[in-house]
Amino acid sequence: MTEPGSNEASLGSPMWDYIIIGAGSAGSVLAGRLSAKATSKVLLIEAGPDFPPGSEPEEILDLYPYRASFNSGYQWQGLKAYIQPLSHNYPDRPPLKPYGQARIVGGGSSINGELANRGTPDDYNEWEQLGAIGWGWDAVLPYFRMLENDLDYVGPLHGNDGPISISRVPTDVWPGFTRAAADAFSAAGYRNIEDQNGQFEDGWFPVALSADRKQRRSAAMGYLDEASRGGGYLCIRPNVHVERIIFEGRRAVGVEAAGEITLGRHIVLAAGALQSPAFLLRAGIGPASHLKSLGVPVLADRPGVGANLQEHPSIAMSAWIKPHARMGESPRRHVLLALRYTSGCQGSVPADMYTVVVAKSAWHPIGRRIGTLFSWINKPYSTGRVSLRSPDPKDHPEIAFELLSDPRDMARMKESFVKMWAFFSAQHMKAASSDPFAAIHGAMAALVGQINAKNWMMTLGPALLMDGPPALRRFVVGRLLTSVADLNSVIHDDESLERIVRDFTIGGWHASGTCRMGAPDDPRAVVSPDTGQVYGVDGLFVVDASIMPTVPRANTNIPTIMIAEKMADQMLSVAR
């Protein structure tokens, strides 16, 4: 049995200072920062594979992310969720749908769309108002700056020496479809605000990317580099599934995996907004009534565990791109432009909506001919829940997002669908595309599996037919890509519009909020904003997107890295 800090250590090693469960964006940051303290020995456990520096597969490095995003080997298998509102009448429940969650060192940052979005100052000021003291905008900004190396902007709002490169693709190399969308946004009255992470009003902008212009820059690449791995204080154990947290009384003292128990002074859950609450529930920390119904002894009655599940409800509209407006081989990126705007719906707040422009919907010939507007509710109000199906750690939890259950969300999603139709109907976009249709975002990227010559040829025939007469194109679209090709009647009929919105709304891989931080006297709060310690027990912490009081107006990867940076700093301050 080897000493802590050796990368050959087994799960039966002696006492660790920190055992981190989950090597996603948060876990990678925590492991890198905590192990940099010369006296802290850190064990990082990940259920998926690890690719040390220099061994990352090409699809992970690629600026075009879909090859990694839809690789099933990098995701939890069999994970499904209820997307639509959940009826109490079991036979009337909506169908379970697959929900993507990363299972790889680096987590979502290793396979996501690389969008590097902070959100707005209002998001973090709201966190503080909800009881997360010390998490207002002025308090989190230094950690956003700490994590980033912005290659385009300097000044008090940006960092330039952090581990995560942030860049944007210049407008002069954008393909015609993307430029046409920018022109349509401008014609609708939105201006180019240029820097989405420094200018927080409505407008369009080149999207910020977690990339160095040449390749992805994941949390694993930024925080688990050769120096971190070779320092003797960090051990990374990939392909290991932690089954349970070990307690002595009310103190967490270790973990069990593959029949072995490993002891640690601090047990940190960084397994994400779906798995972290499941760990707590199986340990007896959560709503007492739910735990008792499953025969789980109650260790701490915390009603907030698994509650407050949030996600960005998202919907897509696609169209055939005319040959002159299609992407070439450069730039490699396909999402270059986004629009942030205020809906104006009753009860809405500023910047509550977001639309990205997708200039190539997949790698194959069909995808190269399809452009997409992909919109989501940036500030949702619907919430769901994560609960247990059984105490067995091999069983995935029950996930019910309840998207669009709040009437404000349904109203705004319908409005966004009509708005995308109006953009496609605008002069500039009509010159670059035609025949818009309702689509499931990502479906074309997953239309065929492995990227190879056979699959390319299989999609070439239908793609060439799409370039033929309009009637033939609509036939191919209707047979292969959508069940609703004619949107004109839908747009003008509210009942049809609501049905389409319900059928085509999906999530955005932005699950959050299920172990939210808050005040100790708040029964719905789960963890302390000071260190992420779980209320009601000792030695157990949660640091990941689950502790967000509300989902920010942003893709959640960069905010999650910020959370881990700040929590690592606070943990080390307490330890000193």
Side-chain angles (χ1 to χ4, degrees):
M1 192 174 297
T2 55
E3 290 300 315
S6 166
N7 280 317
E8 299 300 321
S10 75
L11 284 177
S13 295
M15 177 76 74
W16 297 85
D17 293 301
Y18 297 92
I19 299 176
I20 302 170
I21 304 171
S25 293
S28 295
V29 176
L30 288 170
R33 292 305 192 195
L34 295 175
S35 65
K37 182 184 179 185
T39 57
S40 295
K41 298 177 177 65
V42 179
L43 175 62
L44 177 62
I45 307 174
E46 167 57 39
D50 179 30
F51 298 102
S55 69
E56 300 93 347
E58 183 183 346
E59 68 266 20
I60 289 178
L61 298 175
D62 199 346
L63 290 174
Y64 176 71
Y66 280 169
R67 294 197 297 160
S69 298
F70 295 99
N71 186 326
S72 61
Y74 303 148
Q75 297 191 33
W76 285 93
Q77 296 302 296
L79 186 66
K80 295 184 178 181
Y82 294 107
I83 304 298
Q84 300 172 8
L86 199 59
S87 169
H88 293 294
N89 184 1
Y90 193 86
D92 293 337
R93 286 188 166 195
L96 279 167
K97 295 184 178 181
Y99 187 81
Q101 284 285 275
R103 192 172 186 256
I104 182 176
V105 172
S109 71
S110 292
I111 66 172
N112 65 11
E114 303 166 4
L115 301 186
N117 208 340
R118 287 180 177 176
T120 74
D122 289 345
D123 292 319
Y124 305 100
N125 291 333
E126 181 184 33
W127 286 10
E128 188 155 50
Q129 292 163 10
L130 292 172
I133 303 303
W135 289 83
W137 173 248
D138 289 341
V140 302
L141 178 58
Y143 295 94
F144 278 121
R145 297 183 70 237
M146 182 184 297
L147 72 87
E148 72 177 17
N149 175 24
D150 196 305
L151 303 181
D152 299 313
Y153 292 100
V154 297
L157 293 178
H158 294 286
N160 301 107
D161 56 4
I164 303 299
S165 299
I166 307 293
S167 64
R168 300 146 190 88
V169 177
T171 58
D172 59 1
V173 298
W174 287 2
F177 179 78
T178 303
R179 292 198 304 271
D183 290 339
F185 296 161
S186 294
Y190 299 105
R191 70 180 185 89
N192 180 4
I193 62 172
E194 298 182 350
D195 177 16
Q196 69 183 103
N197 289 328
Q199 300 291 329
F200 301 107
E201 62 269 25
D202 290 358
W204 61 267
F205 40 82
V207 294
L209 306 169
S210 52
D212 63 4
R213 306 198 201 285
K214 297 178 182 178
Q215 65 180 40
R216 176 194 300 274
R217 187 68 174 167
S218 70
M221 296 169 190
Y223 293 88
L224 302 178
D225 56 9
E226 291 181 359
S228 298
R229 292 169 182 259
Y233 292 94
L234 171 64
C235 173
I236 302 172
R237 299 297 294 172
N239 302 308
V240 173
H241 183 213
V242 175
E243 296 161 4
R244 66 187 180 106
I245 302 167
I246 305 300
F247 283 83
E248 288 183 358
R250 304 183 72 82
R251 174 172 289 277
V253 297
V255 301
E256 181 177 355
E260 288 193 66
I261 292 176
T262 303
L263 301 180
R265 295 182 179 87
H266 305 85
I267 311 303
V268 185
L269 281 169
L274 304 181
Q275 302 291 350
S276 285
F279 271 106
L280 294 181
L281 292 168
R282 289 193 293 267
I285 304 166
S289 59
H290 176 55
L291 298 175
K292 290 176 181 178
S293 72
L294 294 168
V296 177
V298 179
L299 184 63
D301 181 11
R302 303 303 305 183
V305 175
N308 193 46
L309 174 62
Q310 298 185 35
E311 170 62 288
H312 290 130
S314 310
I315 198 164
M317 186 179 293
S318 298
W320 174 73
I321 304 176
K322 296 180 179 180
H324 74 276
R326 293 173 189 164
M327 284 192 70
E329 295 304 316
S330 179
R332 182 68 178 160
R333 281 292 305 180
H334 67 310
V335 178
L336 310 171
L337 163 67
L339 168 70
R340 184 172 60 212
Y341 67 94
T342 302
S343 69
C345 289
Q346 185 174 5
S348 65
V349 296
D352 64 326
M353 303 298 295
Y354 199 92
T355 298
V356 296
V357 179
V358 184
K360 178 178 71 174
S361 294
W363 63 273
H364 48 70
I366 294 177
R368 288 179 177 274
R369 287 162 169 78
I370 300 296
T372 298
L373 297 180
F374 182 50
S375 295
W376 63 77
I377 299 175
N378 225 10
K379 180 63 176 175
Y381 296 106
S382 302
T383 60
R385 169 174 287 280
V386 173
S387 55
L388 293 184
R389 301 178 187 275
S390 82
D392 189 339
K394 296 184 180 65
D395 289 345
H396 288 306
E398 179 171 290
I399 305 160
F401 281 106
E402 306 272 2
L403 297 188
L404 307 182
S405 57
D406 189 294
R408 292 169 292 182
D409 290 352
M410 171 56 78
R412 288 181 293 167
M413 191 58 84
K414 290 195 294 186
E415 184 210 50
S416 75
F417 198 78
V418 173
K419 195 177 191 74
M420 289 189 292
W421 171 261
F423 285 139
F424 273 118
S425 302
Q427 173 186 353
H428 296 96
M429 291 203 75
K430 286 178 71 174
S433 63
S434 70
D435 302 300
F437 60 91
I440 297 294
H441 181 62
M444 274 172 280
L447 183 63
V448 292
Q450 188 175 1
I451 297 177
N452 55 38
K454 177 183 176 182
N455 286 337
W456 190 89
M457 288 299 298
M458 186 174 71
T459 56
L460 178 60
L464 293 176
L465 292 177
M466 292 175 67
D467 286 344
L472 188 56
R473 175 164 56 253
R474 292 168 193 141
F475 173 79
V476 173
V477 168
R479 287 293 299 271
L480 294 181
L481 304 179
T482 185
S483 58
V484 186
D486 180 15
L487 294 182
N488 189 53
S489 58
V490 170
I491 294 299
H492 298 96
D493 180 82
D494 190 69
E495 184 176 335
S496 297
L497 178 60
E498 181 164 330
R499 184 171 60 252
I500 293 300
V501 165
R502 287 197 185 280
D503 289 347
F504 283 83
T505 293
I506 60 173
W509 286 22
H510 301 159
S512 55
T514 50
C515 302
R516 77 172 179 87
M517 54 183 167
D521 59 351
D522 181 352
R524 308 298 291 182
V526 178
V527 304
S528 162
D530 296 332
T531 60
Q533 181 167 329
V534 177
Y535 289 128
V537 297
D538 295 318
L540 182 60
F541 306 78
V542 182
V543 180
D544 56 29
S546 71
I547 73 171
M548 296 176 175
T550 57
V551 64
R553 277 161 270 199
N555 306 75
T556 49
N557 181 54
I558 294 298
T560 298
I561 293 175
M562 177 278 292
I563 285 173
E565 282 273 21
K566 191 171 189 296
M567 280 298 191
D569 193 25
Q570 294 173 176
M571 286 178 172
L572 291 172
S573 295
V574 170
R576 283 196 287 268

